[in-house]
Amino acid sequence: MNAIITASELAGDLVGANPPVVLDVRWQLSTAKAAGEPPFDGRAAYESGHVPGAVYVDLDRDLAGPAGATGRHPLPDLEEFGAAMRGAGVFAGRPVVVYDGGQGWAAARAWWLLRWTGHPDVRVLDGGLPSWQGELSVEVPARVEGDFAPVPGATGLLDADGAAALARSGVLFDARAGERYRGEVEPIDRVGGHIPGAVSAPTNANVGPDGRFLPPEDLRDRFKGLGASDDAEVGVYCGSGVSGAHEVLALAVAGIPAALYVGSWSEWSSDPSRPVAVGPDPQ
């Protein structure tokens, strides 16, 4: 099953025999709060216009637990996540399509969580809401209680020790901007740099100017060139497990399975005892 869907395909599916549940996960990593400006309001954006029938999902509340020692966006409590998904109308036997404002990170986080907890049919709208060519709706659909019960997967998830080991035994991609990987700047976390052995693979290189994913063969060539050989185990991390989910999605589009270190740099760097590498060299 393809991990992404085009706007035209979604429009067709919405009038088909088994229309998908559509989740709107608009979110932005914003430093506006520090500047005294109001943070981005995803619900307000949703209420001003969304794909008809879409249900709003809050990334910070529904797709992550409270920030702390395990990172800024750790795994949510699974009972609370399941309740949020059922409240959004997610059924185990009905397709799900997720979109955000175009960056793709938040939608990918929802995609990854639903896939990791056992939903068999989840796709991300390629290009997000800007790619949607139909009319937008301001109507909030009536609540429909779904039946999805999350069951965490045995694979696809890394902790700090697993990420460190994978950087030695396989390929661990760092999806953040190159300057953060190299430790030249660090606007959020305690210290800059990267996990020793990790390879820089900024997630913005996986998409074109329109925010849509590059063709699968181009993505495959990119990741192969960065070390993702056919027999290599692959993992990804970022700042807090959001843009990293987008890279896992890009890898899935390329046909390369990958695990996600959800705690990512926000967890790793919070512990002064963990080693930190700086500069362009993975080591």
Side-chain angles (χ1 to χ4, degrees), residues 26-45 56 58 60:
R26 273 178 275 183
W27 171 89
Q28 289 180 12
L29 178 63
S30 175
T31 56
K33 209 174 196 181
E37 301 171 7
F40 175 77
D41 189 335
R43 178 170 288 279
Y56 178 69
D58 187 299
D60 292 312

Side-chain angles (χ1 to χ4, degrees), residues 158-183:
L158 295 170
D159 60 11
D161 291 340
L166 184 57
R168 303 298 183 189
S169 65
V171 181
L172 181 66
F173 288 134
D174 184 318
R176 298 172 301 158
E179 57 268 26
R180 292 185 69 192
Y181 169 88
R182 295 187 296 271

Side-chain angles (χ1 to χ4, degrees), residues 26-120:
R26 273 178 275 183
W27 171 89
Q28 289 180 12
L29 178 63
S30 175
T31 56
K33 209 174 196 181
E37 301 171 7
F40 175 77
D41 189 335
R43 178 170 288 279
Y46 164 81
E47 291 175 349
S48 70
H50 50 265
V51 173
V55 178
Y56 178 69
V57 171
D58 187 299
L59 185 147
D60 292 312
R61 183 192 66 209
D62 301 326
L63 305 180
T70 54
R72 282 190 305 280
H73 292 103
L75 287 173
D77 176 90
L78 287 183
E79 288 190 9
E80 293 178 3
F81 171 66
M85 293 300 98
R86 289 189 295 275
V90 175
F91 291 83
R94 186 175 171 188
V96 176
V97 172
V98 191
Y99 71 86
D100 57 24
Q103 187 179 43
W105 295 4
R109 172 71 176 222
W111 167 84
W112 182 84
L113 265 174
L114 283 164
R115 293 290 292 154
W116 180 68
T117 54
H119 199 288

Side-chain angles (χ1 to χ4, degrees), residues 99-243:
Y99 71 86
D100 57 24
Q103 187 179 43
W105 295 4
R109 172 71 176 222
W111 167 84
W112 182 84
L113 265 174
L114 283 164
R115 293 290 292 154
W116 180 68
T117 54
H119 199 288
D121 190 349
V122 189
R123 288 173 290 173
V124 169
L125 177 59
D126 195 17
L129 187 63
S131 72
W132 178 252
Q133 298 300 307
E135 293 184 0
L136 297 179
S137 172
V138 295
E139 180 180 351
V140 176
R143 177 184 171 94
V144 175
E145 185 75 11
D147 66 3
F148 177 67
V151 178
T155 60
L157 177 68
L158 295 170
D159 60 11
D161 291 340
L166 184 57
R168 303 298 183 189
S169 65
V171 181
L172 181 66
F173 288 134
D174 184 318
R176 298 172 301 158
E179 57 268 26
R180 292 185 69 192
Y181 169 88
R182 295 187 296 271
E184 297 165 359
V185 298
E186 182 43 65
I188 305 174
D189 293 312
R190 186 185 66 84
V191 64
H194 58 269
I195 297 173
V199 176
S200 181
T203 195
N204 62 5
N206 297 324
V207 298
D210 59 0
R212 301 183 193 187
F213 283 106
L214 301 178
E217 57 273 18
D218 291 353
L219 290 171
R220 197 173 301 116
D221 289 344
R222 181 195 186 212
F223 292 123
K224 296 289 186 185
L226 291 171
S229 61
D230 291 337
D231 57 350
E233 186 179 354
V234 178
V236 180
Y237 76 95
C238 58
S240 63
V242 180
S243 66

Side-chain angles (χ1 to χ4, degrees), residues 9-21 93-95:
E9 290 171 335
L10 174 58
D13 287 356
L14 286 174
V15 295
N18 186 29
V21 175
R94 186 175 171 188

